[in-house]
Amino acid sequence: MNLTLKIWRQKNDKETGKLVTYPVKDISPDMSFLEMFDVLNEELITKGDEPIAFDHDCREGICGMCSMFINGRPHGPKRGVTTCQLHMRSFKNGDTIVVEPWRAAAFPVIKDLTVDRSAFDRIISKGGFISVNTGNAQDANNIPIPKPDADASFEAAACIGCGACVATCKNSSAMLFVSAKVSQLALLPQGRVEATTRVKNMVAQMDEEGFGNCTNTGACEIECPKGISLENIARMNREYFVANIKS
Amino acid sequence: MSKLDSKIPEGPLEQKWEKYKSSVALVNPANKRSLEVIVVGSGLAGASAASSLAEMGYKVKVFCFQDSARRAHSIAAQGGINAAKNYQNDGDSTYRLFYDTIKGGDYRAREANVYRLASVSANIIDQCVAMGVPLAREYGGMLSNRSFGGTQVQRTFYAAGQTGQQLLLGAYSGLQRQVGLGTIEMFARHEMLEVVNIEGKCRGIIARDLISGKLERHFGHAVLLCTGGYGNVFYLSTNAMGSNVTAAWKATKKGAFFGNPCFTQIHPTCIPVSGDHQSKLTLMSESLRNDGRIWVPKKQGDTRKANEIPEEERDYYLERRYPAFGNLVPRDVASRAAKERCDAGFGVGTSKMAVYLDFKSAIARYGHSKALTQGINNPSAQQLKDFGKLVVEEKYGNLFEMYEQITGENPYELPMRIYPAVHYTMGGLWVDYNLMTTVPGLYALGEANFSDHGANRLGASALMQGLADGYFVIPYTIGAYLSKEIATKAISTDHEAFVSAEKDAQGIIDKLFAIKGTKSVDHFHKRLGKIMWDKCGMARNEKGLKEAIAEIRTLREEFWKDVRVPGSANDFNPELEKAGRVADFIELGELMCMDALNRSESCGGHFREESQTEEGEALRKDEEFAYVAAWENKGNHTYELHKEELKFEAIKIAARSYK
Ligand code: SF4
Ligand code: FES
């Protein structure tokens, strides 16, 4: 099929960017969205132009690195997939596709479609862990964990840190991402020990990074490729409330 | 006498590690604060090593090329992690895990290393659970296990089909905790381009800041390469797009030997190639072979749809050839058997280069037991199917989804189509028992080293090895070296060795830009991949390997004459990154073929067509080849072979049979 791509080109975080139009031809429906970008880039290189910079690595929906805002939606039109898992069979011949980077004050553009998401790492380093040093562990089965709790914790832990939740949110809030980590650990007995400080420190860092407030629009849950649920935000709010009463 | 000293401690196998651990030199806390360690790579091995060393008091710097440490490719491991916990009471033990690993590796691994790996395996599970990794549980709250290829016990721990993700995020959380505490300095979007040696010891690295393009010099009393495997030499593999050999390869140019480069693992269950545009291959976890049955039609060139082929016209060839292990034979055996059927004309799908992986019987079986637990004694066919699907979904749901997204087919209704693909590399930098390479102070951990899997890795053992090296081995063994380094003050990065290493790195970048050729980096990478897959892939022979070496040499020359690298060096430039990596892959590819040519036996993933039994099974030559091939880079694309003899004292070396 033949398509018209409108792609955001931006040299670096200092210069302003703009949408540039590129026609692409003979795209197979079995191609992934990123493979279509490979084809386009190959063409640009042979022509002597600079290829489009975009983040990607695993190309199987697990590393969280790919991040394209496609026709107004992070990771494109399909629910429950990352950009790299999107296939061209989700589009039809003649379509115009607009591709932009994640947009949020806390995610500055590096180049073209690549943004800086290190704010997420800094939030994790403020509390997204259990403080146990190597070698301090007891036998794993000494802490029985009810299956429903273990499963719920796992579901929250499935977050890949892609930032689609932030990109789609009109407030650029990072609540879904932060609450997923808070929930994962809060649901486990091992994680309860530091629950109070964890939630307070992570929320403080989230605010410092310049992410917006959550006004419960629910857009994040819809766009999250890993199905992280809003329940996590509710749980984090409870944890936060309790943490503040305690202190 | 060989230049290789494996430094394996004396004493009986079971006591080597315990005794060594309690006798290895320690570094006192005050001294640790002034000792600096560089860790390159932030996967399971890198993240676990970095956080453990930082907790102990060392000053640590961590480098990764991705935008965050959490993206390292360990994250993509699906199936599980082995540990000799014997929670299932099925007779597992440290010895059995050790034995399975040596046998699975086709007797080409070091006994002492593998025994140590098996004995720390249980600690890994404890550690990860304490750190909040949500591994799968049973209703009683205890951890759940599944079985994996090459074993007859259930010792694999898992988190649905995302075990690597959960373990990596656990290790990453430990790493970020130390970043927050200021004991680790993290350098994301940085790529290591050179190793710096001073007076025969490794003292640092040159790294490129991938955003600004600037080269940086970093000093360390020791450097740990935790940079994963080199499967992307084949262009198409299950590795991430960025996975590369550059760090390890640069190390070989500074004196580190490369061990068993031809030992690559072709994973039997991947989604088949769909066209020329294909950029990578996706694995379907080996755990699927627990419940999926592999078959092809009994008739050659059968064009019927899978569902139209009756039971009696299906050839469950693994069950037929290997009744004892059936669908759970090790990876190399399963891969070769699939290739054999497809080459003989029994393949399925449009390309005919695929076999079926079918869940129909599993769905029916699980449907029955689920119906029973629900108290339904006479379930309808639909109920059975629905119940069965529920159970299968719980076990493999995300894998089934992944398959459907890629192929557009629903695997609950139609069998999956699968074909082998490059997945893992057992070869890697040669290391001694301390995980030190042949360069003092330079270590290699995880997939980047050659040490524990011999000629074939068993499923669910990569995660185990990565974390064993990082959490439980290096924190002890590094003391043997660093305890003698306490008097060494941090060396200024103005030292001439840093200056000249930086010049070398800059020289390569300048040279790449100066070519201004006509073909993209991918063009060369794809051609390299094709040569490697055709001639150094699942089956190898003398003629093909010799051709491959000649072709790779030509390709190398062409690359350096005709590659086009767009943009500039002082900028974020993914094409430049790729160019440097592919240049190294081309050189490595040649060495892999040389190693494969030298090893004229079949063992594990390395199948030499000249060396097989009458039934077509791999034939090892223990008299001649029971050694590790460690290659020394002599410059100018020449290599010298050093042999480390493998001695089997605890295990009787035997032909590997899964019949
Ligand atoms: S919560 Fe979902 S959308 Fe947000 S970072 Fe995690 S996986 Fe991505
Ligand atoms: S590239 Fe890893 S999730 Fe898309």
Side-chain angles (χ1 to χ4, degrees), chain B residues 420-439:
Chain B
V422 176
H423 178 54
Y424 185 89
T425 50
M426 285 73 69
L429 292 173
W430 184 92
V431 291
D432 64 16
Y433 192 71
N434 292 326
L435 305 181
M436 198 194 273
T437 67
T438 41
V439 177

Side-chain angles (χ1 to χ4, degrees), chain B residues 187-232:
Chain B
F187 296 82
R189 293 198 194 268
H190 275 66
E191 178 157 30
M192 190 207 102
L193 293 181
E194 283 292 342
V195 169
V196 180
N197 291 347
I198 297 175
E199 287 160 17
K201 289 178 177 170
C202 180
R203 291 301 188 194
I205 64 167
I206 304 294
R208 180 166 178 269
D209 175 337
L210 298 182
I211 295 182
S212 69
K214 283 203 186 66
L215 295 181
E216 298 172 357
R217 307 172 191 169
H218 294 274
F219 164 80
H221 288 88
V223 173
L224 277 48
L225 301 184
C226 311
T227 47
Y230 49 89
N232 270 345

Side-chain angles (χ1 to χ4, degrees), chain A residues 52-97:
Chain A
I52 297 144
F54 61 92
D55 264 337
H56 65 113
D57 200 27
C58 74
R59 292 207 179 183
E60 51 186 86
I62 196 75
C63 75
M65 192 131 166
C66 60
S67 44
M68 291 186 186
F69 203 74
I70 303 163
N71 286 343
R73 297 183 64 181
H75 298 307
K78 272 193 85 179
R79 274 187 86 155
V81 298
T82 55
T83 304
C84 61
Q85 290 175 300
L86 183 63
H87 277 69
M88 295 315 292
R89 64 179 84 90
S90 298
F91 298 89
K92 45 181 204 312
N93 190 26
D95 277 359
T96 297
I97 309 175

Side-chain angles (χ1 to χ4, degrees), chain B residues 38 245 371 383 451 496 651:
Chain B
I38 286 176
V245 76
Q383 273 178 318
S451 75
E496 59 175 289
I651 287 184

Side-chain angles (χ1 to χ4, degrees), chain B residues 579-648:
Chain B
R581 294 170 193 164
V582 170
D584 293 335
F585 275 136
I586 295 177
E587 297 188 4
L588 167 77
E590 185 179 337
L591 179 64
M592 285 169 70
C593 294
M594 288 168 65
D595 185 42
L597 183 62
N598 169 66
R599 194 173 281 276
S600 63
E601 64 162 350
S602 294
C603 62
H606 169 67
F607 186 73
R608 278 290 296 266
E609 286 167 354
E610 299 92 334
S611 186
Q612 51 180 307
T613 64
E614 270 165 29
E615 301 93 66
E617 302 294 340
L619 188 64
R620 267 193 350 251
K621 296 185 193 159
D622 294 325
E623 299 279 295
E624 250 181 289
F625 290 105
Y627 64 77
V628 176
W631 296 86
E632 179 179 7
N633 195 331
K634 302 292 258 185
N636 216 5
H637 314 292
T638 58
Y639 304 89
E640 184 184 332
L641 173 63
H642 302 267
K643 298 177 182 175
E644 179 199 336
E645 231 52 59
L646 290 169
K647 290 189 208 74
F648 293 91

Side-chain angles (χ1 to χ4, degrees), chain B residues 387-534:
Chain B
F387 281 138
K389 272 192 201 166
L390 272 180
V391 178
V392 169
E393 186 180 341
E394 175 164 336
K395 293 183 106 166
Y396 311 110
N398 69 317
L399 300 172
F400 276 52
E401 261 171 51
M402 202 189 252
Y403 181 85
E404 185 166 359
Q405 266 141 26
I406 294 174
T407 61
E409 283 175 10
N410 176 357
Y412 292 102
E413 301 296 335
L414 290 170
M416 289 182 178
R417 278 173 298 113
I418 51 151
Y419 196 69
V422 176
H423 178 54
Y424 185 89
T425 50
M426 285 73 69
L429 292 173
W430 184 92
V431 291
D432 64 16
Y433 192 71
N434 292 326
L435 305 181
M436 198 194 273
T437 67
T438 41
V439 177
L442 180 64
Y443 293 80
L445 282 64
E447 191 179 348
N449 73 30
F450 87 102
S451 75
D452 295 357
H453 307 296
N456 173 59
R457 177 174 67 74
L458 288 182
S461 285
L463 301 181
M464 170 173 72
Q465 186 221 338
L467 290 177
D469 285 359
Y471 280 137
F472 297 110
V473 178
I474 197 74
Y476 294 97
T477 59
I478 204 167
Y481 180 74
L482 289 181
S483 59
K484 296 190 215 98
E485 291 293 324
I486 49 180
T488 310
K489 296 260 166 344
I491 299 172
S492 158
T493 53
D494 293 331
H495 189 286
E496 59 175 289
F498 278 97
V499 177
S500 88
E502 184 183 317
K503 236 166 99 203
D504 291 346
Q506 188 62 49
I508 293 174
I509 293 172
D510 294 344
K511 204 167 145 194
L512 284 167
F513 278 113
I515 301 168
K516 295 193 181 19
T518 63
K519 301 209 174 71
S520 71
V521 176
D522 280 354
H523 166 92
F524 292 99
H525 197 177
K526 283 182 188 171
R527 277 170 59 193
L528 174 68
K530 181 147 178 27
I531 301 173
M532 295 301 294
W533 181 245
D534 289 346

